[in-house]
Amino acid sequence: MTLTHFHDDERKANPRAAMVRVEIRDAQGYANQRRHDLRIGAQPAYVNPDPPEPNRIFIQPLTTAEIKALAKERRAQREMVRAMKSNAGVAVAGIIGFGIQAQQMFEALGPEEQEKALRAAVARVAADLRTTVTGLVFHLDETARHAHFSLCGYDVTGQPLSTWMGRGVLRELQTALHEELSAFMPDLERGRSRKARAEAGAAPHELVHRSVDELHIDLPFEIEAKRKELAELAEKVRTNEARAEKARIKAGADDERAKKALRNAEVYERRQRGPKTKLRP
């Protein structure tokens, strides 16, 4: 397949590149992502309810209980005294997307080659993070085809990935993705980071305002992040309401106890008046 090469502007995102994004998730965040990946329950409006072909599940994502159990098993290697926190990062949620021209390269591959390419890419990402793949789904029911994958949030030595998976690591993962997919897509090019684009002279608005294709790839993560933020806020509201109700009940109980104590005092005072009257000459 011949691709038309646009003028190569280093200030802009590369349309001939693939991209990978990863994010640490706690159990609830992973459960939400898993429902999205497997199309369980209500889905966003941008999802085609009647796609021309179904999504492909290459590796069935572990259940939330299974990913938590795996995380605890790995963590136990470190002989921790405290139990794992409820908000611990038990999983890594990832997405692989493509620039406009890279999408054409990928679609030119047959279904078997597409699966091999995605499996190889995700396996490499997991290996570089010293963990294992726990799910891989290819979405075909959205405007831009992309893959969602999940990894255990603890590496094979029991260390949480959240402690060292920083920006430098993420840049290395972009390189790893490019190296693996290039074996299947020879015309694929390395993506450009925002830092590299800024150094090439990109204006701030060019870094902030994204193309429709970039937005389509980015928004699922950002929507999930906002959902997580709102869920955490709702949980705080519920906790505070429960505490307020408990305080009201306690205050009511204390008030009732105070009234009862006052009644008892009055009873004792009446009882005392009797003996005092009898003692008078």
Side-chain angles (χ1 to χ4, degrees):
M1 180 180 65
T2 302
L3 294 174
T4 302
H5 280 218
F6 298 133
H7 177 64
D8 197 12
D9 189 341
E10 295 290 333
R11 298 170 299 174
K12 299 184 180 299
N14 192 344
R16 299 187 294 277
M19 56 76 67
V20 60
R21 292 184 67 183
V22 290
E23 184 179 274
I24 299 291
R25 294 288 175 88
D26 61 14
Q28 185 58 58
Y30 173 77
N32 293 339
Q33 186 63 51
R34 185 177 185 273
R35 285 195 291 271
H36 172 81
D37 295 352
L38 295 177
R39 299 304 191 224
I40 298 172
Q43 295 300 315
Y46 57 75
V47 172
N48 183 354
D50 188 25
E53 52 183 316
N55 294 334
R56 303 175 199 160
I57 302 175
F58 299 140
I59 300 174
Q60 179 72 26
L62 295 184
T63 64
T64 305
E66 289 170 338
I67 199 80
K68 286 176 66 177
L70 178 58
K72 287 181 178 179
E73 180 183 326
R74 290 191 176 177
R75 184 178 183 272
Q77 298 177 70
R78 297 163 52 215
E79 299 181 357
M80 304 295 291
V81 176
R82 296 182 179 180
M84 189 171 71
K85 294 182 178 179
S86 60
N87 64 346
V90 297
V92 172
I95 185 171
I96 295 175
F98 304 91
I100 295 173
Q101 293 188 53
Q103 186 85 49
Q104 297 173 32
M105 299 177 203
F106 189 76
E107 290 179 358
L109 302 175
E112 290 185 6
E113 287 298 289
Q114 289 177 346
E115 179 175 352
K116 288 179 182 177
L118 290 174
R119 282 181 176 272
V122 173
R124 171 67 183 278
V125 169
D128 284 7
L129 293 176
R130 302 196 301 273
T131 188
T132 49
V133 183
T134 59
L136 175 59
V137 179
F138 186 41
H139 280 177
L140 298 94
D141 57 359
E142 300 181 38
T143 304
R145 298 183 175 191
H146 58 274
H148 287 278
F149 64 92
S150 57
L151 316 171
C152 181
Y154 284 74
D155 69 20
V156 293
T157 68
Q159 295 293 331
L161 270 62
S162 58
T163 60
W164 56 271
M165 202 175 75
R167 191 175 297 276
V169 173
L170 301 184
R171 283 196 295 269
E172 292 173 4
L173 294 184
Q174 288 292 149
T175 300
L177 176 75
H178 173 70
E179 291 175 353
E180 292 301 320
L181 292 182
S182 291
F184 300 87
M185 304 154 65
D187 291 330
L188 192 71
E189 296 180 5
R190 174 74 163 77
R192 304 186 187 106
S193 67
R194 288 194 178 189
K195 181 180 178 182
R197 291 170 60 195
E199 290 174 348
H205 76 273
E206 292 179 300
L207 300 175
V208 174
H209 298 293
R210 293 165 286 179
S211 68
V212 172
D213 192 57
E214 288 175 311
L215 281 171
H216 187 81
I217 292 170
D218 291 347
L219 282 178
F221 258 115
E222 294 171 3
I223 290 169
E224 284 300 323
K226 183 58 66 175
R227 282 177 179 166
K228 180 181 176 182
E229 181 183 330
L230 291 174
E232 290 174 350
L233 181 60
E235 182 60 30
K236 287 181 180 178
V237 170
R238 285 193 295 270
T239 299
N240 289 334
E241 286 179 344
R243 287 174 177 171
E245 180 62 21
K246 186 176 180 180
R248 284 193 293 270
I249 293 172
K250 185 176 185 299
D254 289 343
D255 186 53
E256 184 59 35
R257 279 196 292 269
K259 290 179 180 178
K260 184 177 181 181
L262 182 59
R263 288 196 299 270
N264 289 340
E266 291 173 350
V267 170
Y268 295 144
E269 188 176 336
R270 285 197 300 272
R271 288 177 181 175
Q272 283 294 97
R273 289 197 200 109
K276 285 180 180 179
T277 302
K278 290 180 180 179
L279 287 173
R280 290 175 184 172

